[in-house]
Amino acid sequence: MRQRLRLFVGDEAGSSYAEPTPAPTVSMSFGELTAVLLDALRTRRRWMDDFEDDEVQVSEDLFEVLATYSRLRPGA
């Protein structure tokens, strides 16, 4: 008799729904990050477009500074 193939979808004893694993994260200094981003923006690197819609986590105080800065209008 020919054996049938079975589709393995996870732990048969457990639930068929597995919680997604969080994406790995790394830490770097704000200075390192801004230096890389400034260079990439200045030289118009296309890879920057790939991350345009990605979310990043920032500290609450940095968010407040960035939000305030974004509301400022350049002087006339």
Side-chain angles (χ1 to χ4, degrees), residues 18-24:
E19 290 290 324
T21 56

Side-chain angles (χ1 to χ4, degrees), residues 30-61:
F30 186 72
E32 289 173 313
L33 177 64
T34 56
V36 171
L37 293 178
L38 286 171
D39 180 68
L41 288 169
R42 186 176 58 249
T43 56
R44 299 176 189 245
R45 299 296 181 195
R46 298 290 300 170
W47 60 263
M48 294 285 290
D49 296 339
D50 295 342
F51 299 97
E52 187 173 27
D53 295 324
D54 286 12
E55 290 186 14
V56 295
Q57 292 184 353
V58 297
S59 63
E60 189 174 333
D61 58 339

Side-chain angles (χ1 to χ4, degrees), residues 2 9 12 14 17 21-22 45 47 50 52 57 66 70 72:
R2 192 172 175 185
V9 293
E12 292 182 21
Y17 176 75
T21 56
R45 299 296 181 195
W47 60 263
D50 295 342
E52 187 173 27
Q57 292 184 353
L66 295 173
S70 70
L72 294 176

Side-chain angles (χ1 to χ4, degrees), residues 6-21:
R6 289 181 42 198
L7 178 62
F8 179 75
V9 293
D11 184 12
E12 292 182 21
S15 119
S16 62
Y17 176 75
E19 290 290 324
T21 56

